[in-house]
Amino acid sequence: SAPRQRRTSCCWERRHFFAIYGRRSLDPNGVFCKLGIFGGLKSEILKRGLRATGKREGIGAEEENGGDDEENVADESFQATLKQSKEVLARQKNLIRQIEERRKLVSSITSNAVNIEIDAATNESGSYSQNTKQCSTTTGELDKKYSITTAPEKSDQLSKVEVSVRPPSSDKKSVYRREIEDESPDEHSVADALGLSREVGSEAAHSAITSPSLSRASELYVTENLEDLIEQNIGNANAEQDATPGEGIKDSPPLAGANVMNVILVAAECAPWSKTGGLGDVAGALPKALAKRGHRVMVVVPRYGDYSEPQDLGVRKRYKVDGQDMEVSYFHAYIDGVDFVFIDSPIFRHREKDIYGGNRVDILKRMVLFCKAAVEVPWYAPCGGVCYGDGNLVFIANDWHTALLPVYLKAYYRDNGLMKYTRCVLVIHNIAHQGRGPIEDFHIADLPGHYIDLFKLYDPMGGEHFNIFAAGLKAADRVVTVSHGYAWELKTQEGGWGLHGIINENDWKFKGIVNGVDTKDWNPSLDVHLKSDGYANYSLETLHTGKSQCKAALQKELGLPVRDHVPIIGFIGRLDYQKGVDLIAEAMPWIVGQDVQLIMLGTGRQDLEEMLRNFEGHNRDKVRGWVGFSVKMAHRITAGADVLLMPSRFEPCGLNQLYAMMYGTVPVVHAVGGLRDTVQQFDPYSESGLGWTFDRAESHKLIDALGNCLNTYWNYKKSWEGLQRRGMMQDLSWDSAAQQYEEVLVAAKYQW
Ligand SMILES: Nc1ncnc2c1ncn2[C@@H]1O[C@H](COP(=O)(O)OP(=O)(O)O[C@H]2O[C@H](CO)[C@@H](O)[C@H](O)[C@H]2O)[C@@H](O)[C@H]1O
């Protein structure tokens, strides 16, 4: 009976072994190919294999009493298992090599994509648009699918579509997760997730997952290991993607967590399509940062020019403006995770060089049409096939041009039980422009009579008048301005420009958030405007040589003496009262008395433009006054200059000083509004600070500050380098601002 017992025991062990790992485990293309990849499993297999031979189970003692046959069987079995283990090891190595190759492929695709973008942007606007168009078409397609899942309205139709959706390719991890959760067992998803070729991987994956002989424990084991491997594999790919600055949407879950919502930013301008100043920059950059946090984000802007990226959505709507029927259509592009919707109408067309041009009534009519159409965009503009809808939606309106939006939202819709869950936040970029006019302008706004009270404002400057910003501030659910300093100033009589009373009354819903920088556009190591004409990209590591090269290229381009040791002082901005250009004029005799070069770029008031030309005319060896709007020159001056001068009388935030610091250019600023928030005065004792500030908008104060700055430049090189480095090392991206905006959006959402 002993031999029978031994045979039974041995057979049981073998049956048990197969029961756990399946018969196909002995097939070279079978489950071991799959299981072998998990390091821990190898020893388990060996252990089980040995147990099957009985040698680890103490059965050996009985075997010694048994016949040679039994011993041979055990030996053969042991040899087979050993061979099998070796094969497993070889396959494991092979799989690791495949994963490595796949990782390289992902990395090369990622870097190619970045190169395409950089190439696109390097070209002049025409080719930039073409390339972007390609990108947007692709991502638009993805968005079409993705947006369906993120749409908050879950109509029957939507949830049906959801079954087949996939998020954008960058969100690979969640694709695989969902495939495993929803569709497993599925050989394709698992093999794809592992990066296995179909021939090697699919059958193995299928066996591993679907084999009926898999016990619950081994199923769990396989799943866990699969997930680990997928995590690791995709994590590596994502890490490589993350290393690319400015990449779009990243891993799930979204940073915004449960607060994910639909956000529509509405602005009169948006870079790169339309820009007269900082509003265009913000409208182009903040939405991308919000999208990165997981929100579904749209920008709505008039279609001033014949832009090539946006495609006609084929939707037509009519709105009445001052008694006249006007038709609008909607153009759409999906770029960097954001839906850009352009509202087309004959009254916007061909205005790209003159966005705010025309008489007061003309501008008002344009803004009335724009706001009337913009507030209904979530109903009519199908982005990626699905409209945003008005649930879980917050508008971000900007400056007086779109301050009618919160008023329309209330008067046309919420007062009538529509758009009940839609909110509007109004951002003040500049209170100096308010949309003022005579009371009679009210009829153009086309609102119920009692709404006149929102618009009526009396101040000593304008008497009783119609004021669009005033109405917007009252109707908005929340109000944001672009720095803490400016938030404080707006509440004062001097800083509020007649609206301080309203702002004080609405203090509870008012907040300052400092703007960020689009670190893709304004980044010395990526800047597309530094790739030609002798300029060079540079970083913190190559600051010294890179900046010198840009400086020489700038001097050469503008016909100034090419001298490395002469400090270049730059100025970029609108030529108006706000920017304090007249203070530079007053300080001009002192400035040209120094061994410096001054480069000024700007457009605006004609007398100030003339002044710039005169500066240059009288000091050709030291001064250049570029009258015009040139984004390329703005970037090149920022890179090539040593000092950026911003003597603004008031400055809600100011972006140029932020850009300057990113480029190792030291700012000298009037300590006001956002300039005070962002430029910390240099302290030579503690070697801290970011630049020089002066406390009053007076030319002698400017001269003092600039004098100290130049002294440091000439005589304290180490301190100078410290200033540059501290500036460049700051995190000035939109990430933190976007998080603060999100808090405001959430507060608005839950406000009744
Ligand atoms: N001639 C020219 N050629 C090329 N580019 C030129 C140019 N003149 C100006 N720019 C560019 O326009 C932008 C100006 O931005 P700012 O923030 O400095 O001022 P702006 O007063 O327009 O914005 C308002 O809104 C922004 C955004 O909130 C606030 O930062 C700011 O304080 C407030 O006054 C920068 O990108 C600058 O490079």
Side-chain angles (χ1 to χ4, degrees):
S1 66
R4 195 164 59 238
Q5 195 185 346
R6 278 198 300 275
R7 196 171 291 124
T8 313
S9 162
C10 191
C11 288
W12 182 90
E13 286 289 340
R14 256 199 283 185
R15 261 206 314 277
H16 183 58
F17 178 79
F18 289 136
I20 292 174
Y21 296 111
R23 248 174 214 289
R24 297 185 59 142
S25 61
L26 295 179
D27 175 349
N29 288 321
V31 72
F32 269 2
C33 304
K34 170 57 71 190
L35 299 180
I37 194 160
F38 310 120
L41 198 55
K42 193 183 73 184
S43 56
E44 180 68 9
I45 292 163
L46 277 169
K47 204 168 85 190
R48 299 258 177 186
L50 289 172
R51 196 194 302 165
T53 67
K55 290 200 171 175
R56 281 251 173 115
E57 301 291 307
I59 303 170
E62 288 177 73
E63 280 184 359
E64 272 166 25
N65 300 329
D68 286 341
D69 281 355
E70 290 298 328
E71 204 164 323
N72 287 342
V73 169
D75 223 321
E76 270 169 38
S77 178
F78 173 64
Q79 289 305 328
T81 309
L82 208 62
K83 189 167 160 247
Q84 194 64 56
S85 304
K86 280 181 185 165
E87 282 173 2
V88 163
L89 207 63
R91 284 179 190 287
Q92 190 176 17
K93 277 183 187 162
N94 188 31
L95 286 169
I96 288 168
R97 187 184 51 74
Q98 282 188 38
I99 288 168
E100 201 54 50
E101 274 170 16
R102 182 179 149 86
R103 199 180 297 163
K104 278 185 197 148
L105 183 72
V106 169
S107 143
S108 86
I109 290 168
T110 313
S111 66
N112 276 349
V114 170
N115 287 340
I116 287 167
E117 273 184 45
I118 290 172
D119 286 345
T122 323
N123 295 329
E124 285 307 309
S125 54
S127 50
Y128 165 81
S129 310
Q130 267 178 6
N131 284 327
T132 321
K133 186 174 173 181
Q134 259 184 357
C135 288
S136 67
T137 317
T138 329
T139 44
E141 266 308 304
L142 289 165
D143 168 62
K144 192 181 284 181
K145 296 165 181 171
Y146 185 44
S147 56
I148 298 166
T149 45
T150 53
E153 305 80 9
K154 297 232 184 266
S155 70
D156 282 353
Q157 202 188 348
L158 285 185
S159 46
K160 253 183 238 155
V161 186
E162 244 174 59
V163 178
S164 65
V165 299
R166 292 285 179 279
S169 57
S170 57
D171 204 354
K172 286 175 192 142
K173 195 163 168 180
S174 54
V175 176
Y176 299 137
R177 278 238 175 88
R178 195 133 25 102
E179 274 170 345
I180 287 170
E181 280 164 17
D182 296 348
E183 300 170 351
S184 64
D186 177 324
E187 63 182 63
H188 297 291
S189 55
V190 176
D192 285 350
L194 283 166
L196 304 176
S197 70
R198 283 281 145 83
E199 306 84 80
V200 179
S202 59
E203 201 189 342
H206 191 271
S207 315
I209 303 294
T210 59
S211 173
S213 55
L214 276 174
S215 72
R216 178 77 192 125
S218 54
E219 213 176 291
L220 275 176
Y221 181 78
V222 169
T223 312
E224 264 171 36
N225 280 284
L226 270 174
E227 285 199 334
D228 281 350
L229 194 75
I230 293 163
E231 288 275 351
Q232 193 189 332
N233 202 13
I234 295 162
N236 286 333
N238 281 342
E240 282 163 13
Q241 283 180 339
D242 289 358
T244 311
E247 272 304 302
I249 300 167
K250 302 240 172 76
D251 288 353
S252 59
L255 290 169
N259 292 325
V260 163
M261 61 184 92
N262 292 348
V263 183
I264 301 183
L265 185 142
V266 183
E269 56 183 272
C270 176
W273 299 278
S274 49
K275 167 174 164 177
T276 68
L279 172 59
D281 285 352
V282 173
L286 169 62
K288 291 176 189 170
L290 287 169
K292 251 171 81 178
R293 297 190 58 77
H295 303 286
R296 190 181 183 203
V297 187
M298 184 199 294
V299 177
V300 180
V301 66
R303 183 171 179 265
Y304 299 113
D306 194 10
Y307 315 128
S308 56
E309 303 93 337
Q311 304 296 315
D312 192 346
L313 285 172
V315 180
R316 304 280 181 272
K317 289 285 154 197
R318 301 183 83 80
Y319 295 95
K320 264 208 166 33
V321 178
D322 201 19
Q324 194 188 339
D325 242 5
M326 293 194 182
E327 188 179 81
V328 299
S329 56
Y330 308 84
F331 284 66
H332 171 254
Y334 180 79
I335 296 167
D336 287 344
V338 175
D339 291 301
F340 291 90
V341 171
F342 298 83
I343 296 190
D344 184 60
S345 155
I347 65 167
F348 299 133
R349 251 172 252 162
H350 311 303
R351 294 215 73 98
E352 61 263 58
K353 297 252 180 307
D354 193 24
I355 291 176
Y356 305 109
N359 66 36
R360 193 195 76 252
V361 172
D362 285 346
I363 306 172
L364 178 56
K365 283 185 188 173
R366 288 206 295 274
M367 297 314 161
V368 166
L369 177 65
F370 180 49
C371 291
K372 280 188 173 189
V375 79
E376 291 195 345
V377 159
W379 285 350
Y380 299 131
C383 298
V386 180
C387 292
Y388 274 47
D390 58 51
N392 194 25
L393 172 68
V394 183
F395 283 104
I396 303 178
N398 295 275
D399 274 352
W400 81 265
H401 331 115
T402 46
L404 279 172
L405 196 143
V407 185
Y408 288 152
L409 178 63
K410 192 167 152 34
Y412 293 159
Y413 307 97
R414 290 181 61 182
D415 284 359
N416 297 302
L418 296 164
M419 296 208 180
K420 278 201 301 202
Y421 303 105
T422 305
R423 302 288 178 268
C424 184
V425 173
L426 178 61
V427 184
I428 306 172
H429 298 268
N430 195 336
I431 205 79
H433 305 279
Q434 301 179 356
R436 288 174 171 234
I439 296 286
E440 299 81 70
D441 280 0
F442 177 67
H443 80 271
I444 302 175
D446 189 21
L447 285 157
H450 64 278
Y451 267 82
I452 183 78
D453 294 337
L454 285 188
F455 291 87
K456 260 190 198 166
L457 187 72
Y458 175 87
D459 70 11
M461 217 164 51
E464 189 171 68
H465 66 278
F466 169 79
N467 191 307
I468 292 179
F469 223 151
L473 291 171
K474 291 178 204 164
D477 297 292
R478 295 275 152 166
V479 178
V480 168
T481 193
V482 291
S483 70
H484 310 290
Y486 196 55
W488 180 85
E489 287 168 20
L490 283 174
K491 291 184 221 164
T492 66
Q493 204 164 358
E494 299 74 27
W497 293 61
L499 295 178
H500 54 282
I502 295 172
I503 291 169
N504 277 306
E505 281 162 23
N506 289 281
D507 196 26
W508 62 272
K509 63 179 183 185
F510 183 52
K511 180 175 174 149
I513 300 175
V514 178
N515 285 334
V517 170
D518 185 330
T519 50
K520 211 170 170 185
D521 269 6
W522 289 91
N523 185 333
S525 59
L526 298 171
D527 196 321
V528 294
H529 303 291
L530 304 182
K531 293 188 183 295
S532 52
D533 303 328
Y535 292 84
N537 288 119
Y538 60 92
S539 61
L540 196 59
E541 289 71 39
T542 55
L543 168 66
H544 192 63
T545 50
K547 201 160 173 63
S548 286
Q549 198 174 326
C550 289
K551 184 172 178 172
L554 182 65
Q555 288 167 328
K556 204 166 147 215
E557 184 172 4
L558 298 181
L560 285 165
V562 178
R563 291 173 55 209
D564 192 35
H565 297 295
V566 63
I568 295 182
I569 303 163
F571 169 91
I572 302 162
R574 275 181 293 110
L575 301 178
D576 66 10
Y577 171 84
Q578 176 190 345
K579 300 295 177 184
V581 198
D582 51 316
L583 297 182
I584 302 180
E586 282 175 31
M588 196 53 105
W590 179 85
I591 293 175
V592 295
Q594 314 297 310
D595 185 19
V596 297
Q597 293 177 347
L598 174 68
I599 299 172
M600 298 179 73
L601 168 67
T603 48
R605 257 170 47 190
Q606 275 193 349
D607 57 326
L608 296 175
E609 287 186 352
E610 202 45 44
M611 192 176 78
L612 240 64
R613 292 191 187 98
N614 284 337
F615 287 164
E616 179 175 327
H618 292 118
N619 308 279
R620 284 210 59 81
D621 58 331
K622 287 191 172 171
V623 180
R624 286 294 172 273
W626 182 306
V627 176
F629 197 92
S630 165
V631 172
K632 181 167 84 177
M633 273 324 290
H635 280 252
R636 290 181 167 183
I637 293 170
T638 306
D642 299 290
V643 179
L644 187 88
L645 199 51
M646 284 187 77
S648 308
R649 285 212 160 68
F650 67 95
E651 196 60 81
C653 176
L655 294 171
N656 286 318
Q657 83 282 7
L658 302 180
Y659 301 153
M661 290 189 279
M662 294 269 302
Y663 282 68
T665 304
V666 177
V668 175
V669 304
H670 175 211
V672 70
L675 295 176
R676 186 170 38 201
D677 282 13
T678 55
V679 182
Q680 188 199 338
Q681 166 68 34
F682 170 62
D683 177 358
Y685 300 106
S686 60
E687 287 290 348
S688 63
L690 298 161
W692 278 265
T693 60
F694 49 100
D695 57 8
R696 283 204 306 275
E698 291 167 7
S699 56
H700 70 98
K701 293 272 184 185
L702 182 158
I703 291 170
D704 273 357
L706 191 54
N708 287 331
C709 168
L710 295 175
N711 182 29
T712 308
Y713 175 86
W714 282 313
N715 303 314
Y716 300 93
K717 290 285 177 204
K718 275 258 164 292
S719 295
W720 187 261
E721 211 178 294
L723 276 154
Q724 289 180 301
R725 287 185 177 279
R726 284 193 294 279
M728 288 179 87
M729 282 163 67
Q730 296 174 93
D731 176 8
L732 296 175
S733 74
W734 271 102
D735 293 350
S736 141
Q739 193 174 351
Q740 293 174 62
Y741 266 92
E742 186 180 290
E743 283 165 23
V744 174
L745 300 176
V746 171
K749 177 176 160 178
Y750 292 110
Q751 182 180 310
W752 286 88

